[in-house]
Amino acid sequence: MLLHLAAEFDLQRDVGPWLAERGWAAALDTSENSSALHVVNVERNGKIIYTWKGNQRETHIGLYDPQTKENEHLYMFERDLRIISCSVNSERTLLAVSFRQYTEEERVSRLLQSVSKYLTLLIEIHPINNVRVLKAVDSCVRVQFLYPVEGRNTSTESRLLLVSEDKYIEQFDICVAVEEHKVVIQNSGQLPRARVADDLIWAQWDMTEQRLFYIVPKESRCTLKCVQFYPDENFNSILESHLDISVTDTRVKLVNFGYDNCQDQDVTSKSLNLRVFTSKAGGLCVCCSLASDIPDVITYSIYFLHKGYSKTFTVSLERTASHQLKEVAFLNLDYYVAAYLPGQFLHLLNIQHPDLLCYSLFLTGEDARIDTLQNGSIQSPLMSTILDGCIGRIYAVSISDSALLEFLQKSKRDSERLAALHCALLCVRSTADLEMKIIWWISENLSTCHSFDPIQEFIVASLYSRMCSETHNLDKLLPYTSLLDWIGVIPGAVCTTDIISLPVLEFQNSKGFWEKLNSNLESVKYAEPHLHYHSNVLRREWQNLSEEQKEERRTTTYLRNIFENAKKVLSHLDTWDSEERLVPLFQEEDYQQQLLMGLMVAQLKDHLMRHLQYVGKKKIDQIVLDYVANLLNLVHRIMKEVWKKYQLHSCIFCFDERGSAAEFAVFHIMSRILEATNGMCMPLPPGFHTLHLGLGVRCLPLHTLLHYIDNGVLHLTETCVRKLLKDLDDTEKNEKLKFSIVTRLPEALGQKVRQFWNHPINANLIARKYVKLLLEKLGSRQCSRPISERRPVPVEFLPLNYLTNMLAEIENQGVHPYEKQDHVNVRFVEEAALKHTMMLLGLKYS
């Protein structure tokens, strides 16, 4: 089961023993009346209000504190009442209760037509004292105290929201005073009140952030509004958004204004099933489900207001036992919203990146089952919290990393693999063990993922997860995927996407969620996809720099700055990992990789400076260094786990033995790492190419090795080639290998390492190169006079004498291609030519 539920509160476990101790054991017997003991509200501070029936059917109200694990009896009615709504203020001095006095049948039988059906009371409970009637009406009323910010000193004022089925919401201001050790209400007359909303058909209370969302019908559409309540006792309308939702039932539907099980059972199929969810990153979603006219079909829509579009999903149900089906339950999991239909499906929709369907998980069958939840009343009163009203249990809900990993391992579709991989890296709190298992899975499935590169996704998503928590708006500037688009579908669900109008915000100097939401909306207005850093910029600069280096047009100052950037990255990385590394990386200098590192630092810094001007240069420098260092560290992490998985040793550069099957597997994975990083123009840790080439020499036949070198899969490095030339003896097979390697060396590298192979073939090759370079340097400067002998020649071989004399003349003109190798000169060429000739003639040279 993908969702892990941990019971934070259970009526039978946390309240039952306390009731039994006080002689109210009858309240625990639910055989006759399932609502004898049930939850009626959850306050902002997490305290839970519940009600139960006493031995004489009297009605009690209690409070449970999850911090202290203690229960408290708040109030008792001597009659059997149905509690509709209940709330207590933060100081626990006032209790607001709404209940039904009589049913319609009771009123008729008792000739009580003049008595109101519902009563709303305000009760002083510190200690229990006066009772004040707030409402006596025939329509249902809900109550909710506002809570000040946590840590605020005890206030002499309380504010109470009153929500009526007559489609309005009021705020009551209540002043209290302490008189003879009693807390009493000061207002002698009517309590001051203010109208908050009118003509609403739906409302939802956000207890954590003290926000009221409500919907008013407007012509053929609905308008979503939000009122924010502040600690200074003010409130104002802060958001308005038009939604294309058709409503046929105009009865008021209330969410999170208490939990009335009886009412939930009476909800009709035409009722507006709608929830508003927010995320910590400034996401705002409206989740809506209306009954479909087609049997066995469910349709639900998610309005991503912070993105400017909506997605509507149509699902054909597998089983047709309609009596088992309830309405779709929507759950807030912060990074995801979940659409859950018991026995049918569980759909996790990515709030942060809803554009690509491959980052949402649609589960059916056994994968969608949530064992501990009943098929009854399921609500999400708080983020990552589920209330099961049928059994009075509150769960903390999280995504199970073990179940997610199991799903990843058994999935056959790329869309499911992508969704599970991103969920594991971006949503689930990543541990070293989980990361290791993901890397092992990647190493085993490199050839089975056809529409994406799992190594690229691992690196990009991991970088995004590690970096975006540091700075606000960084999530809009760094890439979160290597994919540009996704044309696949979700098996089991048909999706349509519609553009919607952006919500209108009205706030001043507001921090937190509203500031983040406003930032998200601004990003949509300015084409958000173009804000993300892309490797194309770096690739262009890399190509330009390569061309300019050939023409020697770049100043040394620019290159010095680039290499200084790389030096800072490597120095920064050293401070993270002081332990001895299992994989032999970071043990040599790599000019090309350091150049790419430095370029990436420069390019990313320019990109962030354009969009994060308020952050400051010093902070941006740190972010960029962290990003590139984390990138290198992730590649090293992959290599480390692969090294451990295949049990390789740190020293594998022994070229006189063939590689094992484990080494060949690691070589294949390194080739895919190289392909992945090349595809996104990412630098590799220094020493990667040396290690890769060393494994290639051990594992590949010669013709395949040379093919890999010629096609740029393997890169010839000084460290590896030097060791190969020095360590291997000159057998016929090894001579062929060495000669093939030496002939493919770039000129600058060849001059450094050829001296380590003391062999006639190599000497002949060096001589040929030397002659060629001298003649190229000579160019059109032909000698117009006979060349006199510049040095005694030990043999009478006129063609060789003429060549050596001409080369000596060129040398004397100051042309010397091998300035750092003094032994390579005309005399060296002469001796190499004689040795080669004698060898061809089968004679011995002395």
Side-chain angles (χ1 to χ4, degrees):
M1 293 173 288
L2 190 62
L3 292 187
H4 172 70
L5 304 184
E8 292 191 331
F9 172 77
D10 186 341
L11 278 173
Q12 298 297 323
R13 182 193 68 194
D14 299 315
V15 179
W18 181 77
L19 291 178
E21 288 176 3
R22 285 153 180 77
W24 288 312
L28 305 177
D29 183 9
T30 59
S31 58
E32 295 182 2
N33 189 348
S34 61
S35 62
L37 175 64
H38 68 274
V39 174
V40 292
N41 202 2
V42 180
E43 299 289 7
R44 184 187 188 185
N45 53 18
K47 294 182 180 180
I48 300 158
I49 301 176
Y50 54 89
T51 181
W52 75 93
K53 306 300 181 183
N55 299 329
Q56 304 300 320
R57 300 302 295 171
E58 69 275 14
T59 304
H60 297 264
I61 298 173
L63 183 72
Y64 176 78
D65 188 338
Q67 299 296 324
T68 63
K69 309 295 183 184
E70 294 179 351
N71 289 276
E72 178 182 353
H73 185 267
L74 295 181
Y75 197 75
M76 181 192 73
F77 293 96
E78 295 180 354
R79 294 168 47 202
D80 184 358
L81 300 174
R82 175 188 157 190
I83 301 295
I84 302 295
S85 177
C86 187
S87 182
V88 64
N89 65 349
S90 60
E91 293 82 12
R92 300 203 316 280
T93 57
L94 298 175
L95 179 69
V97 184
S98 173
F99 56 87
R100 186 178 66 186
Q101 296 195 86
Y102 305 99
T103 64
E104 191 64 34
E105 293 77 11
E106 289 173 335
R107 287 208 301 172
V108 172
S109 63
R110 298 185 184 186
L111 303 176
L112 299 173
Q113 284 85 352
S114 61
V115 177
S116 58
K117 185 177 179 181
Y118 295 94
L119 201 61
T120 304
L121 305 179
L122 181 62
I123 307 170
E124 298 169 357
I125 60 171
H126 189 74
I128 294 175
N129 194 24
N130 298 321
V131 176
R132 180 174 295 202
V133 177
L134 294 181
K135 290 283 182 181
V137 292
D138 287 338
S139 57
C140 187
V141 173
R142 303 292 178 111
V143 290
Q144 177 62 59
F145 274 104
L146 300 180
Y147 272 59
V149 292
E150 294 182 7
R152 182 179 175 183
N153 294 330
T154 302
S155 174
T156 59
E157 294 186 5
S158 291
R159 291 178 294 154
L160 176 69
L161 291 183
L162 189 147
V163 186
S164 172
E165 280 187 348
D166 290 334
K167 302 182 179 180
Y168 68 86
I169 299 177
E170 292 180 320
Q171 175 183 295
F172 286 84
D173 294 329
I174 308 162
C175 294
V176 296
V178 179
E179 296 179 0
E180 298 179 357
H181 306 291
K182 295 181 181 180
V183 177
V184 297
I185 300 173
Q186 278 191 323
N187 311 77
S188 58
Q190 287 191 347
L191 297 175
R193 68 184 72 184
R195 190 61 66 104
V196 177
D198 280 305
D199 301 323
L200 58 93
I201 60 171
W202 176 92
Q204 174 180 313
W205 177 242
D206 181 344
M207 67 185 75
T208 304
E209 300 299 333
Q210 300 287 278
R211 291 191 286 251
L212 170 68
F213 293 98
Y214 67 98
I215 287 178
V216 294
K218 191 174 183 180
E219 298 177 354
S220 61
R221 299 192 301 176
C222 293
T223 300
L224 173 70
K225 297 184 178 182
C226 180
V227 174
Q228 177 72 64
F229 295 87
Y230 299 100
D232 61 2
E233 303 179 5
N234 290 324
F235 65 87
N236 66 287
S237 181
I238 202 167
L239 174 141
E240 185 171 311
S241 179
H242 299 293
L243 302 176
D244 189 14
I245 297 176
S246 176
V247 179
T248 57
D249 185 3
T250 58
R251 290 182 298 175
V252 175
K253 178 71 177 291
L254 302 176
V255 179
N256 292 343
F257 282 101
Y259 307 101
D260 181 10
N261 292 341
C262 296
Q263 188 206 34
D264 289 340
Q265 293 166 5
D266 295 336
V267 172
T268 66
S269 61
K270 295 295 183 180
S271 176
L272 182 60
N273 179 21
L274 186 144
R275 299 291 186 275
V276 174
F277 292 143
T278 61
S279 70
K280 297 174 184 176
L284 177 61
C285 297
V286 176
C287 308
C288 179
S289 172
L290 292 175
S292 173
D293 296 331
I294 306 174
D296 304 326
V297 170
I298 289 289
T299 300
Y300 54 97
S301 300
I302 312 296
Y303 294 79
F304 301 100
L305 299 185
H306 59 293
K307 294 291 186 180
Y309 54 81
S310 67
K311 290 184 180 293
T312 300
F313 300 90
T314 303
V315 181
S316 298
L317 304 179
E318 296 179 359
R319 294 179 293 278
T320 58
S322 58
H323 65 278
Q324 296 180 351
L325 301 178
K326 301 290 182 180
E327 63 183 14
V328 176
F330 296 108
L331 311 174
N332 185 3
L333 305 179
D334 188 31
Y335 205 87
Y336 293 88
V337 294
Y340 176 54
L341 188 62
Q344 292 293 331
F345 63 82
L346 173 64
H347 192 180
L348 297 181
L349 293 115
N350 193 312
I351 295 179
Q352 196 79 349
H353 309 293
D355 48 332
L356 301 182
L357 288 177
C358 56
Y359 296 134
S360 296
L361 276 166
F362 186 83
L363 308 175
T364 58
E366 192 66 19
D367 293 326
R369 188 167 58 88
I370 305 178
D371 255 349
T372 52
L373 287 183
Q374 306 297 320
N375 287 353
S377 174
I378 301 172
Q379 302 188 58
S380 184
L382 296 168
M383 186 180 294
S384 301
T385 301
I386 293 177
L387 168 64
D388 190 336
C390 290
I391 59 177
R393 192 174 292 168
I394 296 177
Y395 301 95
V397 57
S398 60
I399 297 176
S400 168
D401 54 354
S402 59
L404 187 64
L405 186 64
E406 182 182 346
F407 180 80
L408 174 65
Q409 292 168 341
K410 72 177 184 180
S411 296
K412 302 301 180 184
R413 299 186 182 101
D414 278 3
S415 59
E416 294 176 344
R417 290 169 169 172
L418 259 174
L421 185 60
H422 266 253
C423 183
L425 296 173
L426 297 181
C427 180
V428 176
R429 178 170 294 181
S430 183
T431 62
D433 183 64
L434 177 62
E435 203 171 66
M436 176 197 72
K437 291 176 180 176
I438 291 174
I439 293 172
W440 284 23
W441 175 85
I442 289 174
S443 68
E444 296 166 357
N445 290 272
L446 288 170
S447 301
T448 61
C449 299
H450 305 293
S451 56
F452 74 102
D453 187 321
I455 295 176
Q456 286 185 345
E457 287 301 300
F458 175 80
I459 293 174
V460 174
S462 297
L463 279 172
Y464 186 86
S465 176
R466 295 182 183 188
M467 298 300 302
C468 288
S469 60
E470 292 189 7
T471 304
H472 178 47
N473 282 336
L474 202 56
D475 59 319
K476 303 175 185 63
L477 303 175
L478 297 179
Y480 65 91
T481 177
S482 62
L483 300 178
L484 297 178
D485 54 28
W486 178 266
I487 58 176
V489 298
I490 298 179
V494 178
C495 176
T496 57
T497 303
D498 296 296
I499 303 299
I500 61 176
S501 58
L502 294 176
V504 177
L505 295 180
E506 296 182 5
F507 67 92
Q508 292 181 349
N509 303 322
S510 184
K511 300 295 182 181
F513 170 78
W514 296 115
E515 181 184 28
K516 293 178 182 178
L517 175 59
N518 186 62
S519 176
N520 288 335
L521 296 177
E522 291 297 316
S523 298
V524 174
K525 293 176 184 177
Y526 297 107
E528 180 183 19
H530 302 293
L531 297 177
H532 288 284
Y533 171 78
H534 200 278
S535 59
N536 285 344
V537 179
L538 178 61
R539 195 182 302 279
R540 279 198 304 270
E541 180 65 17
W542 173 258
Q543 293 171 348
N544 292 340
L545 182 59
S546 299
E547 292 299 322
E548 290 174 357
Q549 273 189 305
K550 292 177 183 178
E551 301 174 14
E552 298 182 351
R553 288 190 289 137
R554 280 288 173 133
T555 63
T556 56
T557 303
Y558 177 80
L559 288 177
R560 191 182 304 116
N561 290 336
I562 293 297
F563 283 107
E564 187 63 29
N565 290 338
K567 184 178 178 182
K568 290 178 182 178
V569 171
L570 294 175
S571 175
H572 192 51
L573 193 58
D574 287 338
T575 63
W576 293 355
D577 188 6
S578 58
E579 299 179 3
E580 183 178 355
R581 291 189 171 97
L582 178 66
V583 186
L585 296 175
F586 302 100
Q587 297 178 4
E588 62 183 84
E589 291 190 359
D590 188 325
Y591 175 86
Q592 290 297 326
Q593 293 307 310
Q594 289 184 25
L595 186 62
L596 188 53
M597 278 180 226
L599 277 174
M600 185 175 222
V601 169
Q603 290 291 318
L604 185 55
K605 187 185 299 183
D606 290 344
H607 177 73
L608 297 184
M609 287 291 288
R610 284 194 296 271
H611 302 288
L612 294 178
Q613 298 176 1
Y614 60 90
V615 172
K617 182 179 181 301
K618 186 175 180 180
K619 177 65 174 176
I620 288 179
D621 287 345
Q622 187 63 41
I623 291 172
V624 171
L625 287 179
D626 285 347
Y627 188 86
V628 182
N630 267 302
L631 192 160
L632 298 175
N633 198 40
L634 280 168
V635 176
H636 176 257
R637 177 89 166 103
I638 296 173
M639 290 295 302
K640 177 182 176 181
E641 295 303 337
V642 169
W643 219 253
K644 288 162 58 178
K645 175 179 173 64
Y646 291 97
Q647 299 179 344
L648 298 191
H649 301 290
S650 59
C651 298
I652 61 164
F653 293 119
C654 181
F655 296 121
D656 56 353
E657 296 179 3
R658 298 303 297 167
S660 63
E663 289 179 23
F664 184 81
V666 174
F667 171 79
H668 174 65
I669 294 170
M670 290 189 71
S671 299
R672 291 299 301 267
I673 292 174
L674 180 65
E675 180 184 352
T677 52
N678 282 346
M680 300 195 72
C681 203
M682 290 178 168
L684 289 163
F688 181 92
H689 288 304
T690 295
L691 185 59
H692 193 207
L693 179 61
L695 285 172
V697 172
R698 287 173 60 87
C699 298
L700 300 177
L702 181 59
H703 67 279
T704 307
L705 176 70
L706 299 180
H707 178 72
Y708 275 41
I709 294 173
D710 294 339
N711 285 276
V713 178
L714 289 173
H715 295 246
L716 298 174
T717 67
E718 179 180 349
T719 303
C720 188
V721 174
R722 180 189 298 177
K723 186 168 180 62
L724 185 146
L725 295 178
K726 291 173 66 176
D727 291 0
L728 283 181
D729 55 16
D730 289 330
T731 63
E732 182 179 351
K733 181 180 179 181
N734 289 343
E735 282 184 357
K736 188 175 182 180
L737 170 62
K738 290 181 178 181
F739 181 74
S740 301
I741 295 293
V742 167
T743 56
R744 286 168 167 78
L745 290 174
E747 185 56 39
L749 179 58
Q751 290 187 26
K752 292 182 179 180
V753 301
R754 287 193 188 105
Q755 58 183 309
F756 296 102
W757 188 24
N758 185 19
H759 192 276
I761 294 178
N762 188 44
N764 183 39
L765 185 63
I766 294 174
R768 288 172 181 267
K769 290 278 187 181
Y770 185 75
V771 172
K772 178 183 177 183
L773 290 172
L774 277 179
L775 295 177
E776 286 177 349
K777 292 287 185 180
L778 177 63
S780 60
R781 291 185 296 165
Q782 301 291 341
C783 297
S784 58
R785 57 182 175 80
I787 301 174
S788 60
E789 290 190 4
R790 310 297 296 180
R791 62 197 306 160
V793 179
V795 293
E796 293 296 331
F797 185 45
L798 295 180
L800 181 59
N801 289 347
Y802 183 83
L803 176 63
T804 54
N805 283 331
M806 184 179 68
L807 296 178
E809 182 68 21
I810 298 172
E811 276 188 349
N812 289 337
Q813 295 177 12
V815 180
H816 198 299
Y818 288 14
E819 293 180 356
K820 296 183 179 180
Q821 299 180 35
D822 295 335
H823 71 285
V824 181
N825 49 30
V826 174
R827 180 68 176 168
F828 178 86
V829 172
E830 181 182 66
E831 291 184 0
L834 290 174
K835 285 182 181 180
H836 186 62
T837 303
M838 297 294 285
M839 183 178 67
L840 292 176
L841 294 175
L843 302 175
K844 186 176 181 180
Y845 178 80
S846 58

